[in-house]
Amino acid sequence: MTVSAAPGAESGSGPGSTAPGPAAAPRRIPPAERGATRIADRVVAKIAAQAAREAVGAPPEGGTAPHAAVTVHQDVARVRVSLELGYPSDLGAQCGAVRRRVAERVRALAGMEVPEVAVQIERLHSAHTGTADRGRIA
């Protein structure tokens, strides 16, 4: 005769016994002894790119969404974000907002310190160049 217990239930004191035995307290293992978690660089890069999108909003008409490259060493991430911005705008303020948001989100979601966020503006999109007249702006 085979007796099966529900998953997670303690087995009885003897073979074939259906009576529950004394419940042993589960041993608590400290977090540092449980193993390691490694987050791939590309995952951190996606977090950084999404954070940059949140900071600057939708890309300008005809522009592309921000993208990021990340180098992770232990629990430290160095981030490079490339983006396109509308023109005219306060470029310094937008880059500062991107730096703050990226550092905050990577720290919160990946648990990594972010000592450096380099922001590279790839292209400026003028509201005037979206018109039919593609000439120079005076």
Side-chain angles (χ1 to χ4, degrees), residues 35-58:
T37 301
R38 182 176 186 306
I39 301 173
D41 292 8
R42 69 179 181 264
V43 173
V44 180
K46 286 188 178 193
I47 292 169
Q50 177 61 36
R53 277 185 223 104
E54 293 168 1
V56 296

Side-chain angles (χ1 to χ4, degrees), residues 45-137:
K46 286 188 178 193
I47 292 169
Q50 177 61 36
R53 277 185 223 104
E54 293 168 1
V56 296
E61 186 176 329
T64 59
H67 58 279
V70 176
T71 303
V72 177
H73 182 67
Q74 295 176 347
D75 286 339
V76 177
R78 297 202 185 298
V79 182
R80 178 180 310 260
V81 177
S82 298
L83 48 86
E84 299 180 9
L85 297 174
Y87 181 81
S89 64
D90 187 348
L91 303 178
Q94 287 185 311
C95 290
V98 168
R99 283 187 195 96
R100 284 187 298 277
R101 184 67 178 172
V102 167
E104 169 189 297
R105 298 298 284 164
V106 170
R107 190 176 306 113
L109 296 175
M112 297 178 179
E113 287 303 311
V114 185
E116 175 185 344
V117 177
V119 178
Q120 182 172 342
I121 301 171
E122 293 285 332
R123 188 172 174 195
L124 294 174
H125 292 269
S126 174
H128 302 292
T129 59
T131 64
D133 180 21
R134 289 244 183 225
R136 296 182 85 183
I137 300 173

